[in-house]
Structure formats: structure tokens, C-alpha cells
Amino acid sequence: MDLPDTQSTLPDVRINLTRVGVRNVKKLIEVARPGRRPVIFISNFDVYVDLPSSLKGANMSRNFEVIDEVLQQATEGEVDGIEEVCNSVARKLLDHHEYADRTEVRMKSTFMIRRETPVSKTECDEVVNVVARAVAKRNNTNPIVRKSIGAQVTGITACPCAQNIMKEIAHNKLRDLGIEEEKIETFLNEVPMATHNQRGQGFLCIETDDDQHVNLEKIINVLKNSMSAKIYELLKRGDESHVVFSAHKNARFVEDCVREMAKRVLLDFEFLPGDSLITIRQTNEESIHQHDAYAERKATIAELRAEMNETY
């Protein structure tokens, strides 16, 4: 018995639609890694195709079929990491939706990283939020794909402004106690002064053409190393002193974090072409204010290189 295909009928109002699809599709992704244990991602997908004015609706079930097919390939090691999942889904959607000229896939994921604390080497888990996106446009031969991968990481920042104020106060107190100037300078250079801290949220996303590979772990490392210090879920006393000391020795404004990210992106992703789009954001949750501090930059690799060359 042939069932009616209502989606293929003419709509009452004949206009093209930019995005038609499904949102908040929850999936568990297992990405195989040679010689290492697989990585598990808890993910939400948004999947869209464009729809011509001649069709009443899109075939939604095909979206789920494509997602499941690609996730199975990721489990078997056929998809090269989480960076390529959205790319593969976007390409296959064009194959399954012959009427579509453009597909778009967005993914938000959470996964756990196993880490060691700096002094006691205690193992603990860290949560990282990952975002990915791919847009595929139909071409005469192969689709044109633009993709992005990014992450948000939590760290600690220490305020340089308050620290310099406390340093000046300490300098004056030590001088009043009769301490020699040279010894005061030596002490203040070795022992960082108190300041207020913030929990920082760093975000970095890199958009490239389909033929480029951007490693997620490198993105995470850029973010971790751009704040005053890394943080850990579990800290022994030695670890705690190390984190606090490191943060205060490396005090940074929210603006400093974003600029440090940009510098590290140019070093760690120097192979990327100039049209690669970089989005960098830092939000610091203030401890002595009710507001948050925020800074961002969005630019191509070529623009960042030009500015950095002018500076140095």
C-alpha cells in the first residue's frame, strides 16, 4: 500500500525557507582514538536544510538517520575526531535531501577530561564545553563546506590593578620598618602581593575551510594557558598553594587573557590560511563587584598576523 507523501506536495504559500529541520537532538558520541581510550561526548544537535518553495515540508526522519550513521562511523574510527562530526553530517544531509542546496549542523557537547594536579599528582575530572558547526553548500562536483570547532574552559585570573596597589602599600610598610630598598625589591619580586581573584570563562572558536584540521585539545590548551592559572576540582594543600601562587605571579586583566589567546593561536595554528576566522571571548566573574568583566575579539588569522607584526 502506497502511503501519501504530504511533504512533497505544493504549499499554500510558495516561498523558499532558509532553515527547516530539528533542534535539541540529544546524542551520546563515542569517538575512537588509536591507542587511547575513546572519548565520550554528551551532545545536542541542531540540523537544518533549506527548502524550496515547491515543497510543503522537509523529510525530517532523514536528519536522524544521517546523525546516527555518522555517529556509528565515529565509534568505529572512520570519522577523524569530534572536529569532523558536524562536517560529515552536513555533507551527508545533501545526499539525503536532494532538493536542498544548503545544510547546516550545530553541536553543543560536554565531556570530561582526566587531569593530574600539579604537586600531588592527584587525578581529578574537568568538564569542558565544546561547540561545533558546519555549513555545506551544493556545488557542481563536491560540496563547499565551512566548519568551526571551539571550546569553553574555566580558569582563575588575578587582578593586576589591586595587586599593584597592595604592592605599593607593602613597599611603604617595609620601608617604614627600616628594611633596605634593595631587599624590599627582591622580596616583592619573589613573593606576589594579595589581590582579588575571578573565575574566568575563556572561549575560543576557529572557523576554517573543509580541508583544514583544527585539533580540539590544542584549543583547550590555548584557553588554559591564557588565564592566570589553571584550576582543578580536587586540590591537596601543596596543589592549592601552587595554584594560588601561580595565579598571583601571573596577574592578568580580562583584556590580557584575550590578547594572550590571540598570540597563542598564531603560534599553535600557524598553518591555518589567512581567511580562517577566530572568535575569542573571556568573561571574568568578579569577586569584589556584582558585575562581570568581559572582552572579545573576532578576526581572521590574516588580520591578527598583521596587527601582531606591527606590534613586534
Side-chain angles (χ1 to χ4, degrees):
M1 178 181 177
D2 290 332
L3 299 176
D5 184 4
T6 308
Q7 287 97 334
S8 298
T9 61
L10 287 173
D12 296 331
V13 179
R14 298 189 60 180
I15 62 168
N16 299 325
L17 299 179
T18 308
R19 286 192 184 100
V20 174
V22 292
R23 303 183 68 181
N24 293 319
V25 180
K26 292 178 171 56
K27 292 289 182 179
L28 194 68
I29 306 177
E30 180 180 318
V31 179
R33 297 187 299 175
R36 303 165 68 185
R37 65 183 178 89
V39 183
I40 306 298
F41 295 82
I42 302 172
S43 305
N44 275 17
F45 284 90
D46 297 338
V47 181
Y48 309 108
V49 300
D50 63 342
L51 191 69
S53 60
S54 58
L55 293 179
K56 188 177 184 65
N59 193 324
M60 301 289 188
S61 63
R62 296 178 185 177
N63 298 344
F64 294 94
E65 293 168 359
V66 169
I67 293 174
D68 287 338
E69 180 183 343
V70 171
L71 296 191
Q72 182 60 39
Q73 291 173 337
T75 302
E76 295 170 355
E78 298 176 28
V79 175
D80 186 19
I82 193 69
E83 303 85 13
E84 301 299 327
V85 169
C86 287
N87 175 22
S88 297
V89 172
R91 283 178 170 275
K92 288 182 180 294
L93 284 172
L94 286 178
D95 296 334
H96 286 69
H97 295 275
E98 64 283 350
Y99 50 81
D101 290 322
R102 180 186 184 275
T103 64
E104 180 178 354
V105 183
R106 297 173 181 263
M107 182 190 72
K108 292 182 180 179
S109 297
T110 302
F111 80 110
M112 306 291 286
I113 297 177
R114 197 71 176 161
R115 299 181 59 201
E116 281 189 348
T117 57
V119 178
S120 68
K121 305 302 179 184
T122 303
E123 287 196 348
C124 58
D125 291 321
E126 178 181 358
V127 176
V128 174
N129 294 318
V130 177
V131 295
R133 177 175 177 263
V135 175
K137 297 180 180 178
R138 197 177 296 280
N139 198 18
N140 291 332
T141 53
N142 293 322
I144 299 172
V145 181
R146 191 78 173 169
K147 63 183 182 181
S148 63
I149 181 73
Q152 179 176 291
V153 169
T154 304
I156 182 175
T157 57
C159 176
C161 181
Q163 188 176 61
N164 283 332
I165 293 171
M166 296 302 295
K167 185 176 181 179
E168 185 66 22
I169 292 173
H171 185 280
N172 293 335
K173 291 289 185 182
L174 291 169
R175 185 180 57 195
D176 292 344
L177 291 171
I179 308 298
E180 297 174 7
E181 193 70 28
E182 184 178 345
K183 290 184 177 180
I184 293 175
E185 290 299 324
T186 300
F187 174 78
L188 293 177
N189 286 334
E190 291 294 326
V191 181
M193 291 295 98
T195 185
H196 66 97
N197 306 128
Q198 305 100 353
R199 177 178 291 177
Q201 300 284 347
F203 175 83
L204 167 61
C205 186
I206 302 178
E207 179 185 307
T208 64
D209 287 330
D210 186 32
D211 59 347
Q212 301 297 319
H213 177 71
V214 176
N215 185 275
L216 177 61
E217 291 183 13
K218 278 191 174 183
I219 287 179
I220 293 171
N221 287 333
V222 166
L223 291 167
K224 288 180 179 296
N225 293 316
S226 296
M227 289 178 257
S228 294
K230 303 172 186 176
I231 63 173
Y232 303 84
E233 184 64 22
L234 175 63
L235 293 172
K236 303 293 186 181
R237 273 179 280 189
D239 300 312
E240 187 172 349
S241 64
H242 177 89
V243 169
V244 173
F245 190 89
S246 299
H248 284 72
K249 283 287 283 185
N250 191 31
R252 283 178 176 167
F253 288 126
V254 67
E255 299 93 335
D256 294 324
C257 296
V258 170
R259 288 172 172 141
E260 183 67 19
M261 287 181 215
K263 183 182 78 173
R264 290 180 179 273
V265 165
L266 292 181
L267 291 173
D268 291 355
F269 298 98
E270 60 180 354
F271 60 89
L272 290 178
D275 66 345
S276 301
L277 185 62
I278 311 300
T279 302
I280 306 168
R281 297 196 295 264
Q282 178 76 19
T283 303
N284 288 349
E285 300 175 6
E286 293 281 9
S287 58
I288 64 170
H289 306 291
Q290 295 188 38
H291 59 263
D292 297 336
Y294 180 81
E296 73 168 45
R297 179 62 196 273
K298 190 171 185 177
T300 64
I301 282 280
E303 291 169 335
L304 291 178
R305 283 177 183 152
E307 289 186 40
M308 203 71 75
N309 289 336
E310 288 178 7
T311 305
Y312 298 100

